[in-house]
Amino acid sequence: MASKNDDTNYQWLLLHGFMGSYHDFDTIIADLPGEIIALNLLGFNTTDTVTDTRRFTMSQQIIDIAAILKWYGWDDVHLLGYSMGGRLALGFALQHPEMLRQLILESASPGLTAIATQKQRRQLDQQRAAALLDDFPSFISKWEQLPLFASQSRLPSQLKVKIRQQRLNQNPNNMATSLIQMGTGQQANYWPSLAHLDVATTVIVGELDQKFRQIGSDMLALLPNARLYCLAQAGHNCHLERPQQFLESVLNDL
């Protein structure tokens, strides 16, 4: 989805999280100035199965995003990624810093540092993928009960129903392939590269998301040109739970 909110010279690319779509940003997109591309990442928000599983790898999706931006003629982009989309955004920034004006990482991780931990996470994602294919609705119910999303229990009932329906409408084969090919265990360890990333970076985490609060703090210590915002009473999905605070943090660094 591409849109233009006004004549301000800003270019925004928005990357959603796992089980999401470009609709994840409905709460903030109208208040971002300039031109906006909010993507459905490969295999998401579609009933079609992507048969070439290699296309799901982070390296290939970085190539695809670069091609999209070149097609639009964009090279001064504010790249915003949430969770899985944030991991992809960071990978893109490390390979194509010349195309970005700002990197916004919401509840995103630079990866796992230990090879043994990476292997354990790959095994977990493979188990999750198998469970997902076996009984997709049950998988989603268990996914929603992860501590990471506990704070979303306070969202309005209508919004929770909308989020659940979006998850149920996903293609299970694509979701399983995404976990296996682009899960955290498959991601390269980006921690050693953070010190060399000169792109202005905004790191946003939720006060209630202890794990990613620590990750965000650790990233801030390494990034040469970054600011950290910890949003009060927000969990993992800050833009959904606290959209106004999120927008203020993003727009403050323009």
Side-chain angles (χ1 to χ4, degrees), residues 191-241:
W191 285 101
S193 302
L194 295 182
H196 309 292
L197 182 61
D198 290 330
V199 176
T201 303
T202 301
V203 179
I204 300 177
V205 296
E207 177 189 29
L208 305 178
D209 186 358
Q210 184 175 356
K211 175 181 176 180
F212 281 85
R213 280 180 60 188
Q214 186 61 58
I215 290 174
S217 179
D218 292 343
M219 291 173 65
L220 186 68
L222 296 173
L223 289 162
N225 186 13
R227 295 180 68 175
L228 172 67
Y229 295 89
C230 183
L231 305 194
Q233 295 302 303
H236 192 64
N237 193 330
C238 301
H239 69 266
L240 178 68
E241 298 176 44

Side-chain angles (χ1 to χ4, degrees), residues 118-130:
Q118 291 174 346
K119 182 179 179 180
Q120 291 172 357
R121 181 55 186 263
R122 287 195 297 270
Q123 291 173 341
L124 175 60
D125 285 339
Q126 289 168 355
Q127 292 168 3
R128 284 174 169 169

Side-chain angles (χ1 to χ4, degrees), residues 86-229:
R87 295 190 290 107
L88 179 57
L90 177 57
F92 183 88
L94 291 169
Q95 289 197 32
H96 297 285
E98 75 284 354
M99 302 184 77
L100 303 183
R101 183 191 298 188
Q102 181 190 16
L103 174 65
I104 302 137
L105 301 175
E106 177 191 359
S107 304
S109 168
L112 302 171
T113 57
I115 294 175
T117 307
Q118 291 174 346
K119 182 179 179 180
Q120 291 172 357
R121 181 55 186 263
R122 287 195 297 270
Q123 291 173 341
L124 175 60
D125 285 339
Q126 289 168 355
Q127 292 168 3
R128 284 174 169 169
L132 185 157
L133 292 171
D134 181 60
D135 188 338
F136 193 43
S138 293
F139 173 85
I140 290 173
S141 295
K142 292 178 181 177
W143 183 262
E144 291 170 340
Q145 296 304 312
L146 290 175
L148 200 64
F149 305 120
S151 57
Q152 293 183 23
S153 64
R154 302 175 304 174
L155 292 172
S157 296
Q158 186 175 2
L159 183 54
K160 287 190 288 187
V161 169
K162 179 181 177 181
I163 295 169
R164 179 174 176 79
Q165 193 58 52
Q166 176 176 252
R167 291 167 174 162
L168 287 168
N169 288 342
Q170 300 286 2
N171 181 310
N173 292 299
N174 293 341
M175 298 302 97
T177 304
S178 177
L179 278 173
I180 293 170
Q181 296 288 354
M182 197 185 155
T184 303
Q186 286 287 3
Q187 177 182 328
N189 174 16
Y190 291 143
W191 285 101
S193 302
L194 295 182
H196 309 292
L197 182 61
D198 290 330
V199 176
T201 303
T202 301
V203 179
I204 300 177
V205 296
E207 177 189 29
L208 305 178
D209 186 358
Q210 184 175 356
K211 175 181 176 180
F212 281 85
R213 280 180 60 188
Q214 186 61 58
I215 290 174
S217 179
D218 292 343
M219 291 173 65
L220 186 68
L222 296 173
L223 289 162
N225 186 13
R227 295 180 68 175
L228 172 67
Y229 295 89

